[in-house]
């Protein structure tokens, strides 16, 4: 016969599993966008466009997906932002 403690622990584990499932389901599109965007940035880097991968770039690509990656590449090619040379300059 199951005790009250065992039943309570089983309920806590079930609640934690359902909570983790909901979090993973909510974060999954951002992970997919980040991976696709990074692949696009790496392909652009192989073709000659130098883009510095920083946490800000990852955030833009994760939220924006492919259009975000294209925007980052465009800004890096134009020398506006995200260029490795711009990040090396001391303030």
């Amino acid at each position: 016969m199951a005790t009250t403690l065992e039943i309570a622990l089983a309920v806590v584990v079930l609640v934690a599993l359902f909570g983790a499932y909901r979090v993973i389901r909510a974060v999954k599109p951002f992970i997919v966008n980040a991976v696709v965007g990074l692949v696009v940035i790496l392909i652009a880097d192989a073709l000659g466009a130098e883009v510095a991968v920083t946490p800000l770039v990852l955030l833009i690509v994760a939220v924006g997906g492919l259009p975000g990656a294209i925007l980052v590449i465009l800004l890096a090619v134009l020398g506006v932002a995200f260029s490795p040379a711009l990040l090396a300059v001391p303030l």
Side-chain angles (χ1 to χ4, degrees), residues 59-77:
L59 181 66
I60 291 170
V61 170
V63 173
L66 185 61
I70 292 171
L71 176 67
V72 167
I73 293 167
L74 181 64
L75 290 174
V77 168

Side-chain angles (χ1 to χ4, degrees), residues 12-39:
V12 167
V13 168
L14 284 174
V15 168
L17 284 175
F18 284 125
Y21 172 74
R22 291 188 64 151
V23 167
I24 290 172
R25 195 177 74 198
V27 173
K28 185 179 174 184
F30 293 112
I31 294 171
V32 171
N33 280 344
V35 169
V36 169
L38 280 177
V39 168

